[in-house]
Amino acid sequence: MDISSLGDRILKGERRALARAITLVESGREDHRAQATELLTHLAKSNRQSLRIGLSGTPGVGKSTFIESFGMMLIEQGLRVAVLAVDPSSTRSGGSILGDKTRMERLSREKNAFIRPSPSQSHLGGVARRTREAIALCEAAAFDVVLIETVGVGQSETVVSEMSDLFLLLLAPAGGDELQGVKRGIMEMADMILVNKADGDLKATATRTCADYAGALRLLRKRPQDPEGFPKAMTVSAVEEHGLEKAWAEMQSLAQSRRESGHWDANRAAQAQYWFEQEVRAALLARLATPQARTEMAYLGAQVRTGELSPSAAAKTMLASLLPR
């Protein structure tokens, strides 16, 4: 594969080249990893930045519908939008449905949109292991906004906040009270809470839910990166496309405030260090998957089962073989 040629095509905004590059970075093959590193290094010279927006919420809250309506609105304003949707992988078969692109029928037909579903492959935190690198590819391809949709399981799906500039939490009407709102975890990571489905019979319920969470947010400790009034809760309707423009205006205001305060650059630098540390940890775990390491683990595990070694002593022996001094 000609990495330089592929990189140049991505810089020109070719969607087919972008799709091929994401397939490359998601590959676990050692030679593909080397090529992916070369490609990302080549593209980093462009120094392009998109607005990265992470989006999480429980299943059924309407994340895909919201993204399609929101994405269509952005495209009508002349922006290019990339969507990285993460689908849960089966713990039994390892497969994923990858159906988000099917849900976003209108958006998938737009030439200024790019939608890429990826399997989580049992990676915790609501995102795939290589989502961060896929974001970098989308930025190099000159997309103005990159939306990262998480698996969306519960309050621990916060890894997306370590790869985004803004983190949105989508909630359903009657999704909890003020006590639910002050629980730690995903709530204190959110920059904006959007109560979706504020239409029809649920409109009044959505308004009450929004008020509950707005009150809860005022009880959370003030974060240094937040201007006055943030984080905030708002109601939106993805179906009726109500409240989307107002939410987008608030996102732009928050992003601009963080750029002017210096938090934008500081946050991206901290995120780069975080992912460096995660790559080191992942590489160390990968060493446990080698045939030699598996043999050693089986041998020590047998001794632990018979009581010849304690778990801590066996672990110390294993680590000594992995990381010799």
Side-chain angles (χ1 to χ4, degrees), residues 34-82:
Q35 289 179 324
T37 301
E38 181 186 348
L39 176 63
L40 290 165
T41 302
H42 176 74
L43 294 175
K45 299 173 185 176
S46 67
N47 201 30
R48 291 174 177 172
Q49 286 192 347
S50 308
L51 177 59
R52 308 172 181 173
I53 302 177
L55 184 74
S56 190
T58 54
V61 75
K63 294 190 295 297
S64 297
T65 307
F66 172 82
I67 288 174
E68 179 170 55
S69 298
F70 186 63
M72 290 297 295
M73 181 200 71
L74 296 179
I75 287 172
E76 287 170 5
Q77 295 184 13
L79 301 176
R80 299 183 74 227
V81 180

Side-chain angles (χ1 to χ4, degrees), residues 228-284:
E228 192 63 35
F230 285 92
K232 62 174 54 181
M234 302 175 64
T235 57
V236 295
S237 169
V239 174
E240 295 183 353
E241 301 183 0
H242 170 74
L244 300 181
E245 290 191 3
K246 185 178 178 182
W248 173 234
E250 295 289 357
M251 292 177 214
Q252 290 177 295
S253 171
L254 179 57
Q256 183 62 29
S257 172
R258 289 182 174 174
R259 284 191 180 97
E260 293 171 354
S261 67
H263 173 76
W264 178 284
D265 293 330
N267 183 51
R268 289 215 169 186
Q271 288 178 350
Q273 181 177 347
Y274 171 86
W275 288 107
F276 153 68
E277 294 172 358
Q278 291 301 310
E279 282 294 320
V280 172
R281 290 187 176 94
L284 290 175

Side-chain angles (χ1 to χ4, degrees), residues 316 319-325:
K316 187 175 181 181
L319 289 172
S321 67
L322 287 174
L323 304 168
R325 293 187 176 182

